[in-house]
Amino acid sequence: MPIIVNLDVMLAKRKMQLTELSGKIGITMSNLSILKTGKAKAIRFSTLEMICEILECQPADILEYVPEKESAK
Amino acid sequence: MRGQKTFTITSKFVGIIFYLVILTCVINVVIRTYRLFEGDANLAGTWHQDPLSFDVMSFGHLNPSTQFPYRYSEGKLAALRQPPDHYQLLVGHRSPIGYYDYFLSILLTGAVLYGMWELRSIFRSISIKEPFAASNARRIRNIGLLLIGVDIVKIINYIIFDFMANKYFSGAELLIQIGNGIWVGSLLLALSVVYRRGVEIYSDNQLTI
């Protein structure tokens, strides 16, 4: 999928664990793992809003568009 | 959860019906096989042996008889009578029609067992909380195709049966009743497409964070 989720990058920048984020936004670890590994098919605005609020970032910091050819490389 | 009770009752009902159908099919096959081995080819001495009897719908070409007597074919290979609105055909179990009907009954028994197995598998694989399973779209489609297939076999059977019966009684036009399998089967095929789409949407929903 050409949309890359950079949640792990932002977590590393904020020195935060996935479990901590999970507890703060009230989303299960398994669902956050699905999001982090790029297996998710969609993300709700409410989820994105909570992640941005906790990580103090913009949606563009978490989501990135990489064309298929580039992502294949 | 709403509908839980209905789902549980239906699921248990299907489970019970499944075992009853298996029992009925086994008994039917055993009896038919026994009669095939013990029966005669003609009707000369088989009145005590319960010959194979077919009730077939007629086009109503023949004049209705008040007494409904049987008329026999040459060599007493078959007997035919016409009560109002249908014919009754008697043949020996080891006659060509008897062998053919035995083969057909085994085929239909297999179809019934397969259909019930698929229906039971559907109920075993789903729950009221997770009603969508990808394998069930295939199962619903298979049941639909099975129902259509059974009706197609019935149509072919009509032609073959008519051909075989007319060897004994020329001029009698026999019509075997065809069920609603084609319509119900087509409905199930459409339902399987809708269900498959439901599985996709459910899967998408599960992967929406």
Side-chain angles (χ1 to χ4, degrees):
Chain A
M1 204 200 286
I3 301 293
I4 307 291
V5 181
N6 291 322
L7 186 62
D8 47 351
V9 177
M10 281 311 296
L11 282 169
K13 279 183 184 172
R14 301 287 182 260
K15 294 186 174 63
M16 195 185 282
Q17 294 286 315
L18 199 65
T19 44
E20 193 185 341
L21 180 68
S22 164
K24 282 184 176 172
I25 63 174
I27 287 178
T28 60
M29 275 288 290
S30 58
N31 275 348
L32 272 184
S33 293
I34 288 169
L35 185 64
K36 200 182 84 170
T37 51
K39 286 177 187 167
K41 287 200 170 179
I43 181 166
R44 290 189 183 91
F45 279 148
S46 56
T47 309
L48 194 59
E49 184 188 328
M50 282 189 290
I51 291 172
C52 289
E53 190 184 325
I54 301 296
L55 295 179
E56 293 171 351
C57 64
Q58 291 298 313
D61 297 327
I62 296 166
L63 302 175
E64 184 188 355
Y65 172 72
V66 180
E68 291 248 29
K69 282 180 184 174
E70 276 186 46
S71 61
K73 286 173 191 174
Chain B
M1 190 174 275
R2 205 177 167 188
Q4 177 71 55
K5 198 181 268 182
T6 311
F7 179 81
T8 310
I9 291 169
T10 313
S11 184
K12 282 185 180 168
F13 179 72
V14 167
I16 293 166
I17 291 290
F18 174 73
Y19 288 111
L20 283 177
V21 166
I22 287 182
L23 188 69
T24 312
C25 286
V26 168
I27 290 170
N28 181 45
V29 168
V30 168
I31 290 173
R32 291 299 304 268
T33 307
Y34 173 76
R35 283 181 173 173
L36 190 73
F37 280 105
E38 291 295 311
D40 284 335
N42 58 39
L43 297 170
T46 55
W47 288 109
H48 63 286
Q49 287 179 1
D50 188 19
L52 206 54
S53 172
F54 298 94
D55 282 335
V56 286
M57 304 308 288
S58 74
F59 286 118
H61 282 179
L62 299 179
N63 294 324
S65 161
T66 49
Q67 299 278 320
F68 319 134
Y70 277 108
R71 56 190 175 103
Y72 289 90
S73 70
E74 212 172 299
K76 279 201 166 185
L77 292 171
L80 184 78
R81 71 171 180 172
Q82 193 205 7
D85 300 334
H86 75 283
Y87 291 107
Q88 199 168 21
L89 180 75
L90 297 182
V91 290
H93 285 278
R94 296 176 86 162
S95 65
I97 289 183
Y99 282 118
Y100 167 71
D101 189 65
Y102 177 76
F103 166 74
L104 205 67
S105 72
I106 295 291
L107 198 73
L108 288 177
T109 302
V112 168
L113 285 177
Y114 178 72
M116 280 307 295
W117 172 261
E118 290 286 55
L119 188 64
R120 184 168 171 259
S121 302
I122 288 171
F123 276 96
R124 283 175 72 120
S125 65
I126 58 172
S127 68
I128 195 80
K129 284 178 185 166
E130 292 200 17
F132 292 104
S135 56
N136 285 341
R138 178 183 52 78
R139 289 194 181 112
I140 294 171
R141 187 200 62 194
N142 286 352
I143 294 174
L145 288 175
L146 191 75
L147 288 174
I148 293 172
V150 166
D151 260 15
I152 290 171
V153 166
K154 278 183 180 175
I155 292 167
I156 296 168
N157 172 45
Y158 158 63
I159 298 164
I160 296 172
F161 190 87
D162 196 28
F163 173 74
M164 290 174 106
N166 271 292
K167 279 188 175 176
Y168 305 122
F169 303 100
S170 58
E173 286 188 66
L174 307 173
L175 178 67
I176 290 178
Q177 232 173 354
I178 294 161
N180 294 321
I182 287 179
W183 314 119
V184 179
S186 305
L187 191 70
L188 281 178
L189 285 184
L191 198 67
S192 77
V193 174
V194 174
Y195 188 90
R196 184 171 290 125
R197 185 73 190 117
V199 170
E200 285 169 13
I201 292 170
Y202 180 73
S203 166
D204 282 357
N205 189 47
Q206 290 292 94
L207 291 172
T208 298
I209 311 299

